[in-house]
C-alpha cells in the first residue's frame, strides 16, 4: 500500500489532467447519449456548451453597442441606475440614438415654456407630481384614492420576486409617495412596509381564495379590513407576458410562508387557470366589480393585455348603459415583463402597448366614458419621454416593473424564471437575496421615482404645461416610415384624447384623497 501511495505521489500533475480528460472522453463516447456534439467531439465539445452559456454576458458587456440590446439597452439601464443612485445621468456631445429611426419620439417644446410662480408647490417640492384624476371619484366609492405619484410599482408577486426585493420596493414607494401593486401572489408581509398598496388578484385568487380555489368575498373583506394600506383592488384579466395562459406553481416551491400568503396547501401543486371562475361574461365581470366595491368601499379596476376588441366594446357599451363598471383600467403591453412565458406567447400574443392602448382608449372615448376612468399604462414606460407620449395618448398614471427592478439592482441577466437571479431580485435563494440591502435599495427606488418625476416635470414645463395631464396628441411627434417620415400622434392613431379636468398643482396638493387620505365622503 505504501508503494502504491508513493507511486501516485510521484505522478506528474499533467498526467492527472490527461487521466481526467480520458475519463471525460470515455464518458462522452460510450455512456452519455443526450448530446451529439460532445459524443462526436469528446472533451472539446464541452467548450461549445460553456461558451453558449456565457454568451449573453459576453454580448452584454463586450459586443452589443449602447443602443442595441433588448429589452432594455445599456443607455436605458444606465439612466435608471444613475437616477436611482442620484448620480450624473446626463449624456454629453449629443445623442447617439438614431433620431430618424421608426417610432422615435419627439416632444414639441413651446417657444416660451411654463414658468412656476414663486409660491408654486414645485418650487418647494420639485418631485411632487400626483395623478390628475381621483380613482373611484365618478362612481362615488366610499374610499376614493388619488395616487400621489404618476409613476408606481407594477404587479409583481412575492414568489416571483424575493422577499427582500418586495420589501425594498414597498419601503421605496413609501419614501416616494407612490403605490405598490402586489401582483397576483397575494398580500405578503413584505408588501406591508409602509407604502400604499393596490391589491391585485388573478385566476388563482391567491390571498382571497376559497378551499375550492374560487374567489371568496368574505376573505376579501377581511383582507381589506385588516390592511388599511390597501387603497384599491385590481382584477387581472391578462398580462403582457402571457395573455390567455395559466400556470402551475409546483408543490416543491410552496413553503409554509407562501402557502399562508396565497391560501393554498403546503407541498401541493396549484393551478392558475387561463380564465376566471368568478365570472364568465362581461356582465358578470361588472357585477363582480360592483360587488367588491360595495363590500370593501374601495375603487376596483381591471388589468389586461389587448388583443381582440369585441369584449372591450361590450364592456364600454354596458358601462354606458348601466353607469357602472371599473374605476380604472390598466393596459399592459405585449412587450412582456417579469412573468416568464414561452417565446410564442412573449413574442406574438397581444399587441404592443402603443397599439393596444390607442385601440382601447378610442372605444371608451367614442362612448364618452374616458372622464370616469383612470387609465394606467404599463409597458416599458419608465422613461420621461415615453411617459410624455403615454400621457398625450390618454394615460393618467404609469406602472413600471422591470425599471423598478433595475433601480434596486437587477442587471437584466434574463434568468428570472430559473431561480438563479444573480442580483437576488427574482429568486427565493436566501444566499442570493443576502446581497440586497433593504434600506439602501429602498432609497434607490425612491430616488429613481423622484428623479423620473422631476425630469418629467421639466419636459412638461418645456412643452408649456404645468401638469403632464395637459399633454395632447399634437404635442408628440413620432417617426412613421420612409414615405411619411414624421407625424403627430393624432394623425398616427386617429383620435384626440379627451381633455383631463385640471385646475392647478396646488389643488392636487390640497386634495383630501391625495395618497389615500380621506376626511369626507365628498369627492374633491
Amino acid at each position: 500500500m505504501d508503494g502504491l501511495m508513493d507511486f501516485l505521489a510521484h505522478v506528474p500533475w499533467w498526467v492527472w489532467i490527461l487521466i481526467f480528460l480520458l475519463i471525460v472522453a470515455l464518458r462522452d463516447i460510450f455512456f452519455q447519449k443526450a448530446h451529439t456534439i460532445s459524443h462526436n467531439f469528446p472533451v472539446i465539445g464541452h467548450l461549445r456548451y460553456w461558451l453558449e452559456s456565457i454568451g449573453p454576458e459576453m454580448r452584454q458587456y463586450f459586443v452589443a453597442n449602447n443602443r442595441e440590446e433588448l429589452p432594455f439597452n445599456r443607455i436605458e439601464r444606465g439612466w435608471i441606475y444613475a437616477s436611482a443612485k442620484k448620480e450624473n445621468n446626463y449624456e454629453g456631445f449629443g445623442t447617439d440614438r438614431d433620431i430618424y429611426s421608426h417610432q422615435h419620439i419627439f416632444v414639441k417644446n413651446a417657444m416660451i415654456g411654463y414658468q412656476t410662480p414663486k409660491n408654486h408647490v414645485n418650487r418647494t417640492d420639485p418631485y411632487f407630481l400626483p395623478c390628475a384624476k381621483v380613482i373611484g371619484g365618478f362612481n362615488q366609492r366610499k374610499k376614493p384614492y388619488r395616487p400621489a405619484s404618476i409613476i408606481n410599482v407594477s404587479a409583481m408577486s412575492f414568489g416571483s420576486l424575493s422577499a427582500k426585493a418586495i420589501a425594498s420596493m414597498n419601503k421605496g414607494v413609501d419614501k416616494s409617495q407612490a403605490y405598490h401593486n402586489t401582483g397576483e401572489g397575494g398580500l405578503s408581509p413584505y408588501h406591508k412596509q409602509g407604502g400604499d398598496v393596490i391589491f391585485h388578484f388573478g385566476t388563482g385568487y391567491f390571498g382571497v381564495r376559497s378551499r375550492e380555489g374560487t374567489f371568496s368575498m368574505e376573505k376579501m373583506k377581511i383582507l381589506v379590513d385588516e390592511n388599511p394600506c390597501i387603497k384599491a383592488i385590481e382584477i387581472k384579466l391578462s398580462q403582457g407576458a402571457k395573455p390567455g395562459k395559466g400556470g402551475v406553481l409546483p408543490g416543491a416551491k410552496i413553503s409554509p410562508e407562501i402557502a399562508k400568503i396565497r391560501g393554498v396547501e403546503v407541498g401541493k401543486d396549484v393551478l392558475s387557470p387561463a380564465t376566471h371562475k368568478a365570472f364568465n361574461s362581461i356582465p358578470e365581470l361588472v357585477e363582480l366589480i360592483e360587488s367588491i366595491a360595495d363590500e370593501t368601499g374601495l375603487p376596483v379596476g381591471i388589468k389586461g393585455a389587448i388583443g381582440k376588441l369585441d369584449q372591450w366594446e361590450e364592456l364600454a357599451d354596458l358601462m354606458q348603459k348601466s353607469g357602472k363598471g371599473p374605476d380604472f383600467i390598466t393596459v399592459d403591453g405585449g412587450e412582456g415583463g417579469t412573468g416568464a412565458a414561452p417565446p410564442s406567447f412573449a413574442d406574438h400574443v397581444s399587441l404592443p402597448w402603443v397599439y393596444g392602448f390607442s385601440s382601447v382608449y378610442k372605444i371608451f372615448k367614442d362612448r364618452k366614458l374616458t372622464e370616469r376612468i383612470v387609465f394606467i399604462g404599463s409597458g416599458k414606460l419608465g422613461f420621461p419621454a415615453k411617459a410624455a407620449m403615454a400621457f398625450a395618448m390618454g394615460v393618467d398614471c404609469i406602472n413600471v416593473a422591470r425599471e423598478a427592478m433595475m433601480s434596486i439592482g437587477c442587471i437584466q441577466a434574463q434568468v428570472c424564471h430559473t431561480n438563479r437571479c444573480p442580483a437576488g431580485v427574482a429568486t427565493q435563494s436566501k444566499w442570493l437575496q443576502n446581497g440586497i440591502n433593504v434600506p439602501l435599495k429602498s432609497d434607490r427606488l425612491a430616488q429613481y421615482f423622484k428623479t423620473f418625476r422631476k425630469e418629467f416635470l421639466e419636459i412638461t414645463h418645456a412643452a408649456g404645461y404645468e401638469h403632464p395631464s395637459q399633454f395632447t396628441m399634437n404635442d408628440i411627434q413620432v417617426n412613421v416610415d420612409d414615405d411619411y417620415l414624421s407625424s403627430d400622434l393624432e394623425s398616427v392613431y386617429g383620435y384626440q384624447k379627451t381633455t383631463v379636468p385640471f385646475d392647478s398643482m396646488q389643488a392636487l396638493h390640497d386634495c383630501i384623497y391625495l395618497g389615500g387620505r380621506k376626511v369626507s365622503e365628498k369627492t374633491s
Side-chain angles (χ1 to χ4, degrees):
M1 187 67 179
D2 291 341
L4 177 61
M5 295 301 295
D6 186 60
F7 169 76
L8 293 176
H10 286 83
V11 174
W13 62 269
W14 54 268
V15 173
W16 288 115
I17 294 176
L18 290 177
I19 292 172
F20 172 76
L21 294 177
L22 178 62
I23 293 172
V24 172
L26 292 174
R27 176 259 182 194
D28 287 343
I29 297 171
F30 296 107
F31 296 98
Q32 75 83 26
K33 306 294 183 184
H35 303 290
T36 303
I37 296 296
S38 57
H39 175 274
N40 293 345
F41 303 94
V43 181
I44 62 172
H46 290 276
L47 183 63
R48 182 259 181 197
Y49 298 109
W50 178 74
L51 289 173
E52 183 180 48
S53 70
I54 65 169
E57 290 81 4
M58 296 291 286
R59 289 189 292 272
Q60 184 180 67
Y61 295 115
F62 301 110
V63 179
N65 67 37
N66 287 342
R67 298 287 187 183
E68 192 173 37
E69 292 175 272
L70 291 173
F72 294 87
N73 62 49
R74 189 176 291 122
I75 293 293
E76 291 171 330
R77 296 198 313 275
W79 182 83
I80 293 173
Y81 296 147
S83 298
K85 297 173 184 177
K86 210 172 183 179
E87 295 176 350
N88 186 342
N89 62 3
Y90 285 29
E91 62 181 44
F93 211 64
T95 181
D96 62 357
R97 183 187 291 272
D98 179 6
I99 61 174
Y100 298 99
S101 62
H102 181 65
Q103 288 290 330
H104 185 76
I105 299 166
F106 303 93
V107 181
K108 296 180 182 178
N109 58 297
M111 185 177 180
I112 300 176
Y114 175 81
Q115 299 179 27
T116 55
K118 286 185 178 181
N119 296 324
H120 194 276
V121 63
N122 288 134
R123 287 288 186 103
T124 54
D125 184 359
Y127 309 118
F128 180 72
L129 187 53
C131 180
K133 291 180 181 176
V134 175
I135 302 177
F138 179 88
N139 289 320
Q140 298 184 321
R141 306 303 187 195
K142 294 177 183 177
K143 303 174 185 176
Y145 176 62
R146 185 192 295 277
S149 171
I150 52 89
I151 180 170
N152 305 280
V153 173
S154 192
M156 294 182 284
S157 306
F158 168 60
S160 173
L161 299 194
S162 68
K164 286 195 173 184
I166 294 290
S168 298
M169 290 182 180
N170 196 263
K171 286 179 179 288
V173 299
D174 183 36
K175 294 173 181 177
S176 57
Q177 292 80 52
Y179 67 68
H180 187 178
N181 192 305
T182 63
E184 63 180 312
L187 181 70
S188 74
Y190 314 107
H191 288 104
K192 297 187 285 184
Q193 303 295 310
D196 288 352
V197 167
I198 305 296
F199 179 76
H200 169 112
F201 69 86
T203 58
Y205 306 112
F206 299 126
V208 289
R209 178 185 174 98
S210 69
R211 292 184 63 86
E212 295 75 32
T214 57
F215 173 73
S216 169
M217 183 65 80
E218 188 61 32
K219 285 192 174 182
M220 174 65 82
K221 290 167 62 178
I222 293 171
L223 185 76
V224 171
D225 289 343
E226 293 181 349
N227 297 281
C229 62
I230 300 176
K231 305 302 182 183
I233 295 163
E234 182 176 78
I235 303 171
K236 189 191 85 168
L237 306 178
S238 58
Q239 67 185 90
K242 47 183 175 180
K245 182 174 174 59
V248 177
L249 183 64
K253 283 190 171 184
I254 302 178
S255 65
E257 181 181 38
I258 289 177
K260 181 179 179 182
I261 292 166
R262 297 200 175 199
V264 297
E265 296 182 38
V266 177
K268 185 177 180 181
D269 290 356
V270 177
L271 173 67
S272 292
T275 56
H276 278 269
K277 295 179 181 178
F279 56 89
N280 295 304
S281 66
I282 298 301
E284 289 180 3
L285 169 61
V286 172
E287 183 179 344
L288 177 64
I289 290 169
E290 294 299 322
S291 297
I292 294 174
D294 289 343
E295 294 289 343
T296 65
L298 295 176
V300 181
I302 57 176
K303 174 183 178 178
I306 311 304
K308 294 182 178 180
L309 299 175
D310 53 337
Q311 290 175 322
W312 288 100
E313 291 171 344
E314 183 183 353
L315 173 62
D317 288 337
L318 182 57
M319 290 175 64
Q320 188 179 42
K321 180 180 178 181
S322 67
K324 301 177 180 179
D327 298 290
F328 64 96
I329 296 175
T330 303
V331 175
D332 205 8
E335 292 87 348
T338 54
S344 54
F345 272 82
D347 295 347
H348 301 290
V349 181
S350 87
L351 296 172
W353 187 84
V354 289
Y355 303 147
F357 180 82
S358 58
S359 298
V360 165
Y361 187 90
K362 280 190 285 189
I363 290 172
F364 291 94
K365 175 182 166 57
D366 290 345
R367 291 160 178 81
K368 297 180 172 57
L369 297 170
T370 49
E371 288 190 14
R372 59 187 275 188
I373 301 167
V374 173
F375 288 97
I376 302 173
S378 178
K380 294 178 67 175
L381 300 175
F383 304 92
K386 287 186 177 180
M389 176 193 70
F391 273 76
M393 294 175 70
V395 156
D396 301 295
C397 275
I398 65 168
N399 287 349
V400 295
R402 289 171 291 183
E403 298 95 317
M405 290 168 63
M406 284 187 277
S407 75
I408 65 167
C410 166
I411 62 170
Q412 193 173 277
Q414 296 181 272
V415 292
C416 308
H417 56 298
T418 66
N419 205 38
R420 293 187 286 105
C421 171
V425 176
T427 178
Q428 297 307 304
S429 165
K430 299 295 185 184
W431 170 258
L432 293 172
Q433 288 185 58
N434 283 337
I436 296 180
N437 181 310
V438 173
L440 174 64
K441 298 301 185 180
S442 65
D443 284 342
R444 289 186 176 175
L445 180 126
Q447 189 57 52
Y448 161 57
F449 277 8
K450 289 179 178 179
T451 302
F452 175 95
R453 295 197 302 249
K454 182 175 182 290
E455 289 197 13
F456 192 16
L457 265 175
E458 289 169 351
I459 288 178
T460 302
H461 294 168
Y465 300 124
E466 184 180 5
H467 189 281
S469 64
Q470 297 172 285
F471 273 110
T472 72
M473 301 283 273
N474 302 112
D475 293 315
I476 308 295
Q477 201 156 308
V478 293
N479 288 336
V480 183
D481 56 42
D482 290 339
D483 295 325
Y484 191 52
L485 289 176
S486 182
S487 186
D488 57 54
L489 295 179
E490 181 179 11
S491 300
V492 174
Y493 296 108
Y495 72 96
Q496 182 59 266
K497 92 167 189 184
T498 304
T499 301
V500 176
F502 173 75
D503 181 25
S504 67
M505 200 72 84
Q506 188 64 46
L508 302 185
H509 182 270
D510 297 338
C511 176
I512 60 175
Y513 301 120
L514 182 67
R517 67 190 188 212
K518 178 177 180 291
V519 296
S520 135
E521 296 297 322
K522 186 178 179 181
T523 304
S524 71

